[in-house]
Amino acid sequence: MVDAYISALLRVLGGFTSKLVALSLPLAIFGGLVIVALYLRHKDDALPKLRALVPYLLFIFVFCAGWTLLREFRDIQRNSLEWVATAEVTEHPKADAPQIYQYSPSVVRIVEKTYTRTLSLPPDLVQRIGTDGIGVLSPYLSDPTTENVLRMVDSFKRNGQDVLFTRQLTRMDEEPIGFKASSVQLNVQRSEETGYEAVLEGSYSFENEDSVDHELRFVFPLATGGATVRDLSLKVGSDTVTEPDDSGNYSWKGTVPAGGSRTAVVKYVASGSKSWSYDMGTTRRTVRDFKLTAKVDGTFRFPRGTIEPSARTATSADWHLSNVMTAQRIGLAFPKNTFAQDGYLQGLASLPMVFGLVLVVCMVYTGRLGLSFNMGQYLAAAVVLALAFLAVPVMYGYIGPLSVLLCPLAGALILGLVVDPRCAPAAMLVALVPGAMLSPTHSGILIVLVGLACGVVIWKASPRTHALP
C-alpha cells in the first residue's frame, strides 16, 4: 500500500522533471528576457522584485503537484481495495461461505399399489420363451427385483395365433400429501462482508385424512450448496431423529391412525454468504397454509424471480401463502455493504477540486476582509493543505472512510491558522464536501447546504464586522 503511494509520488515528480527538462530552453529564454526587462526598467530594485516572484512560482508548483497526486490516489486506493476483496487469504473466512439453498421437506403416504402390464406375443416369440425363459421379455417389463415389490403374478392367454401375456406387480408406493400447516422462523445474523449465520426452526403439521391407518414418511433434506450445518435436530411427535439416512436426509417413518396427525419440528444452524433460498417444491401439491418469518440483523435484499413478501420492515420480512401451487422460491440476498467504501472513493475523487476550492475561498474571504495579500502565507497554507489531503488514504487504514472527512477538516483548520483565523470557518465548510460523499442518499443536498453556508459566510465578511481587536 505505502509502496503504491511512493511510486505515485515519484511518478508525478518524474513527470514534472521531464516536462521541466523538455521546456528548459524556452523557460530559460523567457526567464532571461524577464530578468533583463526588470533590470533595464528597475535597475535599483530588480533583485527584490525577482525574489518576490519565487513564492508565486513555488505556490504554482505545490498546487500542481498536490492536484496531480490527489487525482492519482483514487485509482491506487480502488486497486488496493479490489486486491483485498479478491485475496485468497482473508481475515474473514465466513465471507467466502457458500450460498444456502434449502428445499422444502416432504411427507408421503406409503400405500400398496398393483400395476398391470399386458403384451401380445407372436408365435415365434412364444417359442423363444419356451426355449430361453421369461427373460426374453425383460426389455418390455419392469425389473421384478425392484425394491418394495411385494408380489408378482404372470399369466398367459391365447388370443388367436398370438398369446396375451399379463403381469401383475404389487409394490409399496409413496403418494405425496400436503402439509396441513407449515411455519418457519429464520433468524439471520450478518457477519463481515456478505457472510451470515442462519438459525432455522420449522414446524410442519401433517395428517392422515383416510379412514384407515397409513404409514407416513417425513423427509427433511439438508441445505445444499456445501453449507456447514450444525446442531440439527428433528423431532416428530415423541420420536427424535439424530442421524441422516442413506440418502443424507433426515427422515421419519411411522404409522398414523385414521384422522390422526403429527407435527415435525426441525432446527439447525448454518453458515453461508450472499443469499439464502427456500424452495417451496409445490409443483405436485397445493400449499395449504405456509408462513415464513425472517429476521435479519443487517442489510438484506430480495433476488429477482423470488416470491414477494407479504409484509416487510427494515429488519424483517414475512411470507404467508395459502392454497397455492408455485415453482418460485423464497429468497433473501445479503449484498456486501459498499456504501461507505463507494462514498469514500467518491470523496477521494472530489479531493483535487476541494483542494483548489479551499485555497480560492480563503483568498476571496481575506479579500472581503480587506487584508493584505501575502503569497508566503498562501504558499505555507498550500503545503499544509496538500499534506492533509494526501494523508487521507494513509489514515484510511486506521480510521476507515472517516479519513475523507477528518483529514480535510484538519487541513482547512491549520490553513486558517496560517493565513488568518477568521478564514477557518469558510475553509472548513468547503472541506466538508468530501465527507458529504459518505452519505449514500443525501450527499447532493449536503453539498448544496455546504455551498449555501459558505456563500453566506463569505457574503457577511467585511473589515467592519471582522475587525481585529
Side-chain angles (χ1 to χ4, degrees), residues 404-423:
V404 82
L405 171 66
L406 300 181
C407 290
L409 280 176
L413 176 61
I414 299 174
L415 176 143
L417 296 178
V418 171
V419 177
D420 189 280
R422 290 171 292 182
C423 298

Side-chain angles (χ1 to χ4, degrees), residues 327-346:
Q328 288 182 287
R329 57 187 173 90
I330 292 174
L332 294 172
F334 306 102
K336 181 180 178 181
N337 187 358
T338 60
F339 294 130
Q341 181 175 306
D342 293 341
Y344 167 70
L345 292 175
Q346 291 179 3

Side-chain angles (χ1 to χ4, degrees), residues 360-370 422-423 426 457-458 461 466:
V360 171
V361 166
C362 190
M363 292 179 182
V364 173
Y365 196 83
T366 54
R368 291 280 296 174
L369 292 176
R422 290 171 292 182
C423 298
V457 170
I458 295 176
H466 293 85

Side-chain angles (χ1 to χ4, degrees), residues 355 359 362 376-386 411 414-416 418-419:
F355 174 65
L359 293 173
C362 190
Q377 287 181 326
Y378 281 105
L379 173 59
V383 172
V384 170
L385 191 65
I414 299 174
L415 176 143
V418 171
V419 177

